Amino acid sequence: MTLRKWFHLFWTTLVLGIVVSTGVGLILQFSDKEFSVMGLSAVGFNLINMILGGATISVLSQMGFFAYLIVRFIAVGIIRSKTVWDLLQLAVVIVVLFDLVYLRKTNFNSSESLLGYFVLPVCVLVISLAVSYWKVKMTNRNAFIPTLFFMTAVTVLEAVPALKLDNTASSLFMLAPLFVCNAWQILTLHKILDNKKS
């Protein structure tokens, strides 16, 4: 990866994060008058905070992406068997999806039924499966499990600050740009590296 390619990835991801978070933020602002970013509820103040929030979320996404690449590089060096590594990634995906239901239900002790806590994990899984399928179409079938792992486990880990609030608007405001930024980075990785194996 050259510095020029990294700059391209950085700026395009930053712009995507800003655009998506601003779009989602404005929709939330006009549909829910109580919605505020950083405690400011006026549209003008919120617009600036949405842009700054989107930039921050995109940088968080990029940090998660490079952390994932480093962990993957180390893990592949330690675990020589591709089958074992794939099974470990699938196990982590299952644990993350289970924890999205179990930990949130036990931590928030709300009167909401357990079924309501399945909405977020199902959405995360569907989006992750769609991105993984798209990645396979662009590269090869070996990219499915790593992409699924990145889109579920890493995205949920990055979204923990919003998920702790048990607020749908906050979760949506953070998860939407995270999904778009993470999908953009993982789907363009093979182009940046000039190969079809990533």
Side-chain angles (χ1 to χ4, degrees), residues 100-138:
L100 272 178
V101 176
Y102 178 74
L103 292 178
R104 294 179 80 229
K105 175 66 177 167
T106 56
N107 284 341
F108 299 128
N109 292 326
S110 69
S111 58
E112 187 180 342
S113 70
L114 184 64
L115 195 59
Y117 284 95
F118 276 94
V119 174
L120 181 61
V122 168
C123 290
V124 168
L125 182 61
V126 168
I127 293 168
S128 300
L129 286 171
V131 173
S132 301
Y133 178 75
W134 193 359
K135 179 72 173 181
V136 167
K137 286 292 183 187
M138 295 172 75

mmCIF file of all heavy atoms in Angstrom, residues 100-138:
data_model
loop_
_atom_site.group_PDB
_atom_site.id
_atom_site.type_symbol
_atom_site.label_atom_id
_atom_site.label_comp_id
_atom_site.label_asym_id
_atom_site.label_seq_id
_atom_site.Cartn_x
_atom_site.Cartn_y
_atom_site.Cartn_z
ATOM 1 N N LEU A 100 -25.196 -9.149 21.967
ATOM 2 C CA LEU A 100 -26.038 -8.003 21.642
ATOM 3 C C LEU A 100 -27.445 -8.170 22.206
ATOM 4 O O LEU A 100 -28.118 -7.196 22.521
ATOM 5 C CB LEU A 100 -26.127 -7.806 20.126
ATOM 6 C CG LEU A 100 -25.063 -6.946 19.483
ATOM 7 C CD1 LEU A 100 -25.264 -6.886 17.980
ATOM 8 C CD2 LEU A 100 -25.042 -5.553 20.064
ATOM 9 N N VAL A 101 -27.877 -9.415 22.347
ATOM 10 C CA VAL A 101 -29.188 -9.675 22.949
ATOM 11 C C VAL A 101 -29.054 -9.802 24.461
ATOM 12 O O VAL A 101 -29.671 -9.063 25.228
ATOM 13 C CB VAL A 101 -29.815 -10.970 22.368
ATOM 14 C CG1 VAL A 101 -31.135 -11.284 23.075
ATOM 15 C CG2 VAL A 101 -30.015 -10.847 20.875
ATOM 16 N N TYR A 102 -28.204 -10.721 24.904
ATOM 17 C CA TYR A 102 -28.140 -11.084 26.317
ATOM 18 C C TYR A 102 -27.638 -9.941 27.214
ATOM 19 O O TYR A 102 -28.276 -9.583 28.193
ATOM 20 C CB TYR A 102 -27.256 -12.320 26.501
ATOM 21 C CG TYR A 102 -27.099 -12.729 27.938
ATOM 22 C CD1 TYR A 102 -28.140 -13.348 28.619
ATOM 23 C CD2 TYR A 102 -25.918 -12.474 28.625
ATOM 24 C CE1 TYR A 102 -28.011 -13.714 29.947
ATOM 25 C CE2 TYR A 102 -25.774 -12.829 29.949
ATOM 26 C CZ TYR A 102 -26.817 -13.456 30.605
ATOM 27 O OH TYR A 102 -26.686 -13.798 31.917
ATOM 28 N N LEU A 103 -26.487 -9.370 26.867
ATOM 29 C CA LEU A 103 -25.906 -8.329 27.722
ATOM 30 C C LEU A 103 -26.769 -7.070 27.763
ATOM 31 O O LEU A 103 -26.912 -6.443 28.811
ATOM 32 C CB LEU A 103 -24.483 -7.990 27.262
ATOM 33 C CG LEU A 103 -23.446 -9.088 27.477
ATOM 34 C CD1 LEU A 103 -22.097 -8.654 26.939
ATOM 35 C CD2 LEU A 103 -23.343 -9.456 28.941
ATOM 36 N N ARG A 104 -27.337 -6.704 26.632
ATOM 37 C CA ARG A 104 -28.182 -5.507 26.627
ATOM 38 C C ARG A 104 -29.455 -5.743 27.436
ATOM 39 O O ARG A 104 -29.906 -4.866 28.164
ATOM 40 C CB ARG A 104 -28.512 -5.100 25.189
ATOM 41 C CG ARG A 104 -27.255 -4.640 24.437
ATOM 42 C CD ARG A 104 -27.551 -4.255 23.016
ATOM 43 N NE ARG A 104 -28.102 -2.909 23.011
ATOM 44 C CZ ARG A 104 -29.214 -2.571 22.368
ATOM 45 N NH1 ARG A 104 -29.884 -3.451 21.695
ATOM 46 N NH2 ARG A 104 -29.642 -1.344 22.404
ATOM 47 N N LYS A 105 -30.025 -6.939 27.330
ATOM 48 C CA LYS A 105 -31.243 -7.230 28.095
ATOM 49 C C LYS A 105 -30.954 -7.249 29.599
ATOM 50 O O LYS A 105 -31.705 -6.681 30.390
ATOM 51 C CB LYS A 105 -31.816 -8.587 27.644
ATOM 52 C CG LYS A 105 -33.013 -9.075 28.427
ATOM 53 C CD LYS A 105 -34.208 -8.184 28.225
ATOM 54 C CE LYS A 105 -35.424 -8.737 28.968
ATOM 55 N NZ LYS A 105 -36.509 -7.785 29.054
ATOM 56 N N THR A 106 -29.852 -7.857 30.009
ATOM 57 C CA THR A 106 -29.534 -7.936 31.441
ATOM 58 C C THR A 106 -29.051 -6.600 32.004
ATOM 59 O O THR A 106 -29.322 -6.284 33.160
ATOM 60 C CB THR A 106 -28.472 -9.019 31.727
ATOM 61 O OG1 THR A 106 -27.312 -8.757 30.939
ATOM 62 C CG2 THR A 106 -29.009 -10.403 31.421
ATOM 63 N N ASN A 107 -28.359 -5.800 31.203
ATOM 64 C CA ASN A 107 -27.839 -4.518 31.698
ATOM 65 C C ASN A 107 -28.902 -3.448 31.834
ATOM 66 O O ASN A 107 -28.820 -2.600 32.721
ATOM 67 C CB ASN A 107 -26.720 -4.002 30.795
ATOM 68 C CG ASN A 107 -25.425 -4.749 31.018
ATOM 69 O OD1 ASN A 107 -25.240 -5.389 32.036
ATOM 70 N ND2 ASN A 107 -24.538 -4.683 30.045
ATOM 71 N N PHE A 108 -29.895 -3.453 30.931
ATOM 72 C CA PHE A 108 -30.859 -2.365 30.937
ATOM 73 C C PHE A 108 -32.115 -2.687 31.730
ATOM 74 O O PHE A 108 -32.860 -1.795 32.072
ATOM 75 C CB PHE A 108 -31.201 -1.941 29.504
ATOM 76 C CG PHE A 108 -29.994 -1.449 28.754
ATOM 77 C CD1 PHE A 108 -29.662 -1.967 27.516
ATOM 78 C CD2 PHE A 108 -29.168 -0.477 29.296
ATOM 79 C CE1 PHE A 108 -28.548 -1.516 26.824
ATOM 80 C CE2 PHE A 108 -28.050 -0.022 28.618
ATOM 81 C CZ PHE A 108 -27.746 -0.546 27.382
ATOM 82 N N ASN A 109 -32.375 -3.964 32.006
ATOM 83 C CA ASN A 109 -33.513 -4.385 32.831
ATOM 84 C C ASN A 109 -34.806 -3.662 32.474
ATOM 85 O O ASN A 109 -35.551 -3.227 33.333
ATOM 86 C CB ASN A 109 -33.220 -4.148 34.324
ATOM 87 C CG ASN A 109 -32.144 -5.075 34.824
ATOM 88 O OD1 ASN A 109 -32.055 -6.211 34.377
ATOM 89 N ND2 ASN A 109 -31.322 -4.601 35.734
ATOM 90 N N SER A 110 -35.046 -3.496 31.202
ATOM 91 C CA SER A 110 -36.262 -2.791 30.797
ATOM 92 C C SER A 110 -37.431 -3.762 30.729
ATOM 93 O O SER A 110 -37.255 -4.974 30.751
ATOM 94 C CB SER A 110 -36.066 -2.126 29.437
ATOM 95 O OG SER A 110 -35.978 -3.105 28.429
ATOM 96 N N SER A 111 -38.622 -3.216 30.637
ATOM 97 C CA SER A 111 -39.819 -4.053 30.561
ATOM 98 C C SER A 111 -40.059 -4.561 29.141
ATOM 99 O O SER A 111 -40.976 -5.328 28.908
ATOM 100 C CB SER A 111 -41.035 -3.248 31.033
ATOM 101 O OG SER A 111 -41.170 -2.090 30.234
ATOM 102 N N GLU A 112 -39.220 -4.106 28.206
ATOM 103 C CA GLU A 112 -39.356 -4.536 26.820
ATOM 104 C C GLU A 112 -39.140 -6.044 26.720
ATOM 105 O O GLU A 112 -38.309 -6.616 27.422
ATOM 106 C CB GLU A 112 -38.323 -3.803 25.956
ATOM 107 C CG GLU A 112 -38.484 -4.056 24.468
ATOM 108 C CD GLU A 112 -37.442 -3.314 23.643
ATOM 109 O OE1 GLU A 112 -36.833 -2.371 24.170
ATOM 110 O OE2 GLU A 112 -37.256 -3.680 22.485
ATOM 111 N N SER A 113 -39.882 -6.678 25.835
ATOM 112 C CA SER A 113 -39.761 -8.127 25.689
ATOM 113 C C SER A 113 -38.410 -8.479 25.084
ATOM 114 O O SER A 113 -37.755 -7.655 24.443
ATOM 115 C CB SER A 113 -40.877 -8.664 24.794
ATOM 116 O OG SER A 113 -40.663 -8.244 23.464
ATOM 117 N N LEU A 114 -38.018 -9.714 25.276
ATOM 118 C CA LEU A 114 -36.738 -10.200 24.755
ATOM 119 C C LEU A 114 -36.702 -10.101 23.234
ATOM 120 O O LEU A 114 -35.648 -9.859 22.646
ATOM 121 C CB LEU A 114 -36.510 -11.648 25.217
ATOM 122 C CG LEU A 114 -35.177 -12.288 24.850
ATOM 123 C CD1 LEU A 114 -34.030 -11.547 25.524
ATOM 124 C CD2 LEU A 114 -35.157 -13.741 25.229
ATOM 125 N N LEU A 115 -37.847 -10.250 22.618
ATOM 126 C CA LEU A 115 -37.930 -10.200 21.160
ATOM 127 C C LEU A 115 -37.448 -8.860 20.609
ATOM 128 O O LEU A 115 -36.811 -8.800 19.555
ATOM 129 C CB LEU A 115 -39.371 -10.465 20.722
ATOM 130 C CG LEU A 115 -39.581 -10.807 19.251
ATOM 131 C CD1 LEU A 115 -38.798 -12.051 18.863
ATOM 132 C CD2 LEU A 115 -41.053 -10.987 18.959
ATOM 133 N N GLY A 116 -37.703 -7.774 21.347
ATOM 134 C CA GLY A 116 -37.263 -6.452 20.917
ATOM 135 C C GLY A 116 -35.750 -6.319 20.844
ATOM 136 O O GLY A 116 -35.224 -5.532 20.053
ATOM 137 N N TYR A 117 -35.047 -7.104 21.650
ATOM 138 C CA TYR A 117 -33.587 -7.051 21.653
ATOM 139 C C TYR A 117 -32.970 -7.851 20.498
ATOM 140 O O TYR A 117 -31.764 -7.811 20.290
ATOM 141 C CB TYR A 117 -33.041 -7.548 22.990
ATOM 142 C CG TYR A 117 -33.201 -6.530 24.087
ATOM 143 C CD1 TYR A 117 -34.296 -6.551 24.940
ATOM 144 C CD2 TYR A 117 -32.268 -5.513 24.247
ATOM 145 C CE1 TYR A 117 -34.453 -5.602 25.940
ATOM 146 C CE2 TYR A 117 -32.413 -4.559 25.240
ATOM 147 C CZ TYR A 117 -33.507 -4.611 26.078
ATOM 148 O OH TYR A 117 -33.662 -3.661 27.053
ATOM 149 N N PHE A 118 -33.782 -8.585 19.749
ATOM 150 C CA PHE A 118 -33.279 -9.341 18.601
ATOM 151 C C PHE A 118 -33.219 -8.489 17.337
ATOM 152 O O PHE A 118 -32.578 -8.889 16.370
ATOM 153 C CB PHE A 118 -34.156 -10.576 18.347
ATOM 154 C CG PHE A 118 -33.782 -11.757 19.186
ATOM 155 C CD1 PHE A 118 -34.432 -11.996 20.388
ATOM 156 C CD2 PHE A 118 -32.780 -12.621 18.788
ATOM 157 C CE1 PHE A 118 -34.092 -13.071 21.180
ATOM 158 C CE2 PHE A 118 -32.435 -13.707 19.572
ATOM 159 C CZ PHE A 118 -33.088 -13.937 20.771
ATOM 160 N N VAL A 119 -33.857 -7.324 17.343
ATOM 161 C CA VAL A 119 -33.904 -6.494 16.139
ATOM 162 C C VAL A 119 -32.503 -6.051 15.716
ATOM 163 O O VAL A 119 -32.118 -6.197 14.551
ATOM 164 C CB VAL A 119 -34.823 -5.266 16.350
ATOM 165 C CG1 VAL A 119 -34.756 -4.324 15.160
ATOM 166 C CG2 VAL A 119 -36.248 -5.715 16.607
ATOM 167 N N LEU A 120 -31.727 -5.510 16.648
ATOM 168 C CA LEU A 120 -30.389 -5.014 16.316
ATOM 169 C C LEU A 120 -29.462 -6.122 15.816
ATOM 170 O O LEU A 120 -28.841 -5.965 14.755
ATOM 171 C CB LEU A 120 -29.766 -4.280 17.507
ATOM 172 C CG LEU A 120 -28.373 -3.705 17.275
ATOM 173 C CD1 LEU A 120 -28.377 -2.680 16.147
ATOM 174 C CD2 LEU A 120 -27.841 -3.087 18.552
ATOM 175 N N PRO A 121 -29.345 -7.274 16.528
ATOM 176 C CA PRO A 121 -28.470 -8.333 16.016
ATOM 177 C C PRO A 121 -28.884 -8.852 14.640
ATOM 178 O O PRO A 121 -28.021 -9.142 13.804
ATOM 179 C CB PRO A 121 -28.568 -9.441 17.064
ATOM 180 C CG PRO A 121 -29.053 -8.786 18.286
ATOM 181 C CD PRO A 121 -29.862 -7.608 17.850
ATOM 182 N N VAL A 122 -30.185 -8.938 14.397
ATOM 183 C CA VAL A 122 -30.648 -9.411 13.087
ATOM 184 C C VAL A 122 -30.269 -8.399 12.005
ATOM 185 O O VAL A 122 -29.786 -8.781 10.933
ATOM 186 C CB VAL A 122 -32.175 -9.677 13.102
ATOM 187 C CG1 VAL A 122 -32.718 -9.880 11.699
ATOM 188 C CG2 VAL A 122 -32.489 -10.884 13.978
ATOM 189 N N CYS A 123 -30.442 -7.105 12.282
ATOM 190 C CA CYS A 123 -30.041 -6.065 11.317
ATOM 191 C C CYS A 123 -28.541 -6.110 11.051
ATOM 192 O O CYS A 123 -28.108 -6.023 9.899
ATOM 193 C CB CYS A 123 -30.443 -4.685 11.828
ATOM 194 S SG CYS A 123 -32.201 -4.383 11.836
ATOM 195 N N VAL A 124 -27.756 -6.239 12.116
ATOM 196 C CA VAL A 124 -26.293 -6.328 11.967
ATOM 197 C C VAL A 124 -25.923 -7.537 11.112
ATOM 198 O O VAL A 124 -25.097 -7.438 10.202
ATOM 199 C CB VAL A 124 -25.608 -6.413 13.358
ATOM 200 C CG1 VAL A 124 -24.144 -6.805 13.227
ATOM 201 C CG2 VAL A 124 -25.742 -5.089 14.099
ATOM 202 N N LEU A 125 -26.549 -8.672 11.380
ATOM 203 C CA LEU A 125 -26.246 -9.898 10.630
ATOM 204 C C LEU A 125 -26.644 -9.773 9.165
ATOM 205 O O LEU A 125 -25.866 -10.144 8.273
ATOM 206 C CB LEU A 125 -26.945 -11.098 11.272
ATOM 207 C CG LEU A 125 -26.674 -12.456 10.622
ATOM 208 C CD1 LEU A 125 -25.181 -12.802 10.689
ATOM 209 C CD2 LEU A 125 -27.499 -13.547 11.295
ATOM 210 N N VAL A 126 -27.815 -9.228 8.891
ATOM 211 C CA VAL A 126 -28.277 -9.095 7.504
ATOM 212 C C VAL A 126 -27.361 -8.170 6.709
ATOM 213 O O VAL A 126 -26.948 -8.489 5.588
ATOM 214 C CB VAL A 126 -29.746 -8.597 7.467
ATOM 215 C CG1 VAL A 126 -30.153 -8.161 6.062
ATOM 216 C CG2 VAL A 126 -30.677 -9.682 7.985
ATOM 217 N N ILE A 127 -27.014 -7.020 7.289
ATOM 218 C CA ILE A 127 -26.116 -6.082 6.605
ATOM 219 C C ILE A 127 -24.742 -6.718 6.390
ATOM 220 O O ILE A 127 -24.156 -6.609 5.311
ATOM 221 C CB ILE A 127 -25.996 -4.763 7.396
ATOM 222 C CG1 ILE A 127 -27.333 -4.022 7.391
ATOM 223 C CG2 ILE A 127 -24.893 -3.876 6.822
ATOM 224 C CD1 ILE A 127 -27.403 -2.862 8.359
ATOM 225 N N SER A 128 -24.238 -7.408 7.405
ATOM 226 C CA SER A 128 -22.925 -8.052 7.308
ATOM 227 C C SER A 128 -22.916 -9.150 6.255
ATOM 228 O O SER A 128 -21.948 -9.291 5.497
ATOM 229 C CB SER A 128 -22.522 -8.624 8.664
ATOM 230 O OG SER A 128 -22.453 -7.607 9.625
ATOM 231 N N LEU A 129 -23.987 -9.929 6.189
ATOM 232 C CA LEU A 129 -24.087 -10.982 5.171
ATOM 233 C C LEU A 129 -24.144 -10.386 3.769
ATOM 234 O O LEU A 129 -23.510 -10.893 2.836
ATOM 235 C CB LEU A 129 -25.314 -11.861 5.421
ATOM 236 C CG LEU A 129 -25.220 -12.833 6.591
ATOM 237 C CD1 LEU A 129 -26.577 -13.472 6.868
ATOM 238 C CD2 LEU A 129 -24.166 -13.907 6.347
ATOM 239 N N ALA A 130 -24.860 -9.281 3.613
ATOM 240 C CA ALA A 130 -24.953 -8.623 2.306
ATOM 241 C C ALA A 130 -23.593 -8.093 1.857
ATOM 242 O O ALA A 130 -23.183 -8.292 0.702
ATOM 243 C CB ALA A 130 -25.974 -7.486 2.358
ATOM 244 N N VAL A 131 -22.867 -7.445 2.767
ATOM 245 C CA VAL A 131 -21.532 -6.924 2.429
ATOM 246 C C VAL A 131 -20.571 -8.071 2.127
ATOM 247 O O VAL A 131 -19.778 -8.006 1.187
ATOM 248 C CB VAL A 131 -20.985 -6.027 3.562
ATOM 249 C CG1 VAL A 131 -19.540 -5.625 3.298
ATOM 250 C CG2 VAL A 131 -21.846 -4.777 3.716
ATOM 251 N N SER A 132 -20.664 -9.152 2.902
ATOM 252 C CA SER A 132 -19.793 -10.316 2.682
ATOM 253 C C SER A 132 -20.069 -10.954 1.326
ATOM 254 O O SER A 132 -19.136 -11.342 0.607
ATOM 255 C CB SER A 132 -20.006 -11.352 3.789
ATOM 256 O OG SER A 132 -19.726 -10.795 5.043
ATOM 257 N N TYR A 133 -21.334 -11.068 0.974
ATOM 258 C CA TYR A 133 -21.708 -11.623 -0.330
ATOM 259 C C TYR A 133 -21.160 -10.741 -1.455
ATOM 260 O O TYR A 133 -20.627 -11.228 -2.455
ATOM 261 C CB TYR A 133 -23.234 -11.739 -0.422
ATOM 262 C CG TYR A 133 -23.718 -12.249 -1.748
ATOM 263 C CD1 TYR A 133 -23.603 -13.596 -2.092
ATOM 264 C CD2 TYR A 133 -24.284 -11.373 -2.682
ATOM 265 C CE1 TYR A 133 -24.041 -14.051 -3.328
ATOM 266 C CE2 TYR A 133 -24.725 -11.827 -3.915
ATOM 267 C CZ TYR A 133 -24.602 -13.168 -4.225
ATOM 268 O OH TYR A 133 -25.029 -13.631 -5.440
ATOM 269 N N TRP A 134 -21.283 -9.423 -1.285
ATOM 270 C CA TRP A 134 -20.773 -8.472 -2.275
ATOM 271 C C TRP A 134 -19.261 -8.595 -2.413
ATOM 272 O O TRP A 134 -18.715 -8.568 -3.512
ATOM 273 C CB TRP A 134 -21.181 -7.079 -1.848
ATOM 274 C CG TRP A 134 -21.011 -6.009 -2.885
ATOM 275 C CD1 TRP A 134 -20.525 -6.131 -4.160
ATOM 276 C CD2 TRP A 134 -21.316 -4.625 -2.723
ATOM 277 N NE1 TRP A 134 -20.520 -4.911 -4.790
ATOM 278 C CE2 TRP A 134 -21.000 -3.976 -3.940
ATOM 279 C CE3 TRP A 134 -21.834 -3.872 -1.679
ATOM 280 C CZ2 TRP A 134 -21.180 -2.604 -4.117
ATOM 281 C CZ3 TRP A 134 -22.015 -2.517 -1.868
ATOM 282 C CH2 TRP A 134 -21.690 -1.897 -3.070
ATOM 283 N N LYS A 135 -18.571 -8.755 -1.289
ATOM 284 C CA LYS A 135 -17.112 -8.909 -1.303
ATOM 285 C C LYS A 135 -16.707 -10.169 -2.056
ATOM 286 O O LYS A 135 -15.738 -10.172 -2.825
ATOM 287 C CB LYS A 135 -16.589 -8.938 0.138
ATOM 288 C CG LYS A 135 -15.081 -9.117 0.264
ATOM 289 C CD LYS A 135 -14.326 -7.879 -0.147
ATOM 290 C CE LYS A 135 -12.843 -8.046 0.163
ATOM 291 N NZ LYS A 135 -12.077 -6.853 -0.202
ATOM 292 N N VAL A 136 -17.456 -11.265 -1.833
ATOM 293 C CA VAL A 136 -17.174 -12.524 -2.539
ATOM 294 C C VAL A 136 -17.348 -12.324 -4.040
ATOM 295 O O VAL A 136 -16.543 -12.828 -4.831
ATOM 296 C CB VAL A 136 -18.086 -13.656 -2.013
ATOM 297 C CG1 VAL A 136 -18.050 -14.872 -2.923
ATOM 298 C CG2 VAL A 136 -17.666 -14.050 -0.602
ATOM 299 N N LYS A 137 -18.391 -11.607 -4.444
ATOM 300 C CA LYS A 137 -18.616 -11.346 -5.871
ATOM 301 C C LYS A 137 -17.475 -10.534 -6.474
ATOM 302 O O LYS A 137 -17.135 -10.703 -7.653
ATOM 303 C CB LYS A 137 -19.937 -10.591 -6.071
ATOM 304 C CG LYS A 137 -21.152 -11.446 -5.877
ATOM 305 C CD LYS A 137 -21.241 -12.456 -6.982
ATOM 306 C CE LYS A 137 -22.487 -13.286 -6.868
ATOM 307 N NZ LYS A 137 -22.475 -14.379 -7.843
ATOM 308 N N MET A 138 -16.888 -9.640 -5.678
ATOM 309 C CA MET A 138 -15.804 -8.790 -6.172
ATOM 310 C C MET A 138 -14.453 -9.501 -6.163
ATOM 311 O O MET A 138 -13.572 -9.152 -6.948
ATOM 312 C CB MET A 138 -15.712 -7.520 -5.320
ATOM 313 C CG MET A 138 -16.918 -6.625 -5.434
ATOM 314 S SD MET A 138 -16.878 -5.271 -4.246
ATOM 315 C CE MET A 138 -15.653 -4.207 -4.977
#
